[in-house]
Amino acid sequence: MSKIAEVKAMVEAGKAKLVPGLVQEALDAGNAAGDILEGMIESMGVVGDKFSSGELFVPEMLMAAKAMSKGVEVLKPHLTGDSAKSLGTCVIGTVAGDLHDIGKNLVAMMLESVGFTIVDLGVDVSAEKFVNAAKDNANVKLVACSGLLTTTMPAMKETVNLLKSSGLSGVKVIVGGAPVSQEMADMIGADGFAADAGGAAVKAKELVSA
Ligand code: B1M
């Protein structure tokens, strides 16, 4: 079994204590950090499918999430570079009612790597909290909203609406997460959408440079 396959199996099995060591071994064996990350994301897809089919339940999903997060900690220095240029502050969070944070954390990591100062509001963030953070922090240029549940898409819409009606000038809004599409982003009035963390960094740079 390849090292990446071992990482994938242990993420799927929710072995949070074993995953960091295996990720390090995979790196030491010459695997690219991006490939190891891709493998872990695939494992979460498998876990999600098993949840949908009733083979796994919420506790197992949670354990897999913890295992992946531990693996990402090891990968972080290998995924992020030193950005010379500061692009301003980005307020990021997962919208109200939604507790999923792995994708949001990856997006925050990639945005930081291209030069944003990150203010991470965490999960289950109300529209008001996003707006207050955009007003209260210095030099906010971007608000990034993540959402993984179809049931919390109305909360994303409410967040974008409130941000847009709050008189914040020079602040762009980017949205993303599995149920979000470019079409939906356009419909709710967001300035940008990205399908993954790498794409979010590219789009975010474009938005604040426009
Ligand atoms: Co939940 N969950 N979950 N879950 N969970 C999903 C999302 C689900 C698809 C599983 C399934 O049924 N197949 C399903 C949602 C169905 C739907 O709405 N369409 C689901 C469900 C139903 C639920 C509960 C309702 C289950 C229940 O209680 N009955 C419940 C809801 C709790 C709540 O939020 N209120 C729940 C709970 C949980 C856990 C807490 C146990 C755990 C999360 C722990 C955590 O995040 N710390 C969990 C997990 C782990 C998952 C799956 C298995 C994995 C999610 C993940 O981390 N993926 C997920 C199945 C799946 O994704 N296939 C599932 C890896 C991560 C890297 O991908 O977050 O998609 P992702 O991020 C991607 C892109 O989406 C994008 O970039 C990332 C990749 O680079 N992206 C952005 C994300 N945010 C972005 C923002 C951007 C741009 C791009 O710009 C701002």
Side-chain angles (χ1 to χ4, degrees):
M1 200 189 262
S2 75
K3 282 293 163 199
I4 292 186
E6 280 184 51
V7 170
K8 288 174 71 174
M10 290 303 112
V11 166
E12 231 184 284
K15 302 286 184 194
K17 285 194 178 144
L18 295 181
V19 168
L22 286 171
V23 168
Q24 189 57 56
E25 284 176 29
L27 285 168
D28 294 345
N31 293 286
D35 292 342
I36 302 169
L37 178 65
E38 207 49 54
M40 291 199 287
I41 292 175
E42 273 173 32
S43 293
M44 297 309 279
V46 172
V47 169
D49 291 346
K50 287 189 173 172
F51 174 75
S52 297
S53 63
E55 275 176 77
L56 289 181
F57 300 95
V58 170
E60 285 97 339
M61 264 205 302
L62 197 53
M63 283 161 71
K66 278 192 185 143
M68 172 155 180
S69 298
K70 290 283 176 198
V72 170
E73 279 174 26
V74 178
L75 287 183
K76 188 174 176 184
H78 302 271
L79 291 168
T80 56
D82 284 333
S83 171
K85 194 176 171 218
S86 168
L87 295 175
T89 300
C90 169
V91 168
I92 190 167
T94 304
V95 298
D98 199 327
L99 303 176
H100 297 85
D101 68 356
I102 298 181
K104 184 264 297 168
N105 293 343
L106 286 175
V107 171
M109 198 193 291
M110 294 313 287
L111 292 179
E112 191 178 5
S113 78
V114 293
F116 286 94
T117 301
I118 300 295
V119 175
D120 189 344
L121 303 178
V123 296
D124 190 16
V125 180
S126 68
E128 291 76 15
K129 200 169 170 193
F130 272 109
V131 170
N132 290 340
K135 286 184 174 165
D136 296 346
N137 286 282
N139 199 24
V140 174
K141 300 283 185 213
L142 186 73
V143 176
C145 307
S146 176
L148 265 280
L149 297 172
T150 43
T151 49
T152 55
M153 290 302 101
M156 187 169 277
K157 182 171 190 260
E158 189 195 333
T159 303
V160 176
N161 278 345
L162 198 62
L163 284 161
K164 290 293 172 188
S165 61
S166 293
L168 292 159
S169 68
V171 177
K172 296 287 169 66
V173 182
I174 183 169
V175 294
V180 186
S181 61
Q182 181 65 60
E183 199 184 3
M184 182 196 150
D186 292 342
M187 203 174 69
I188 66 176
D191 299 296
F193 157 78
D196 57 32
V202 172
K203 189 72 194 175
K205 267 173 96 170
E206 188 187 308
L207 288 174
V208 301
S209 312

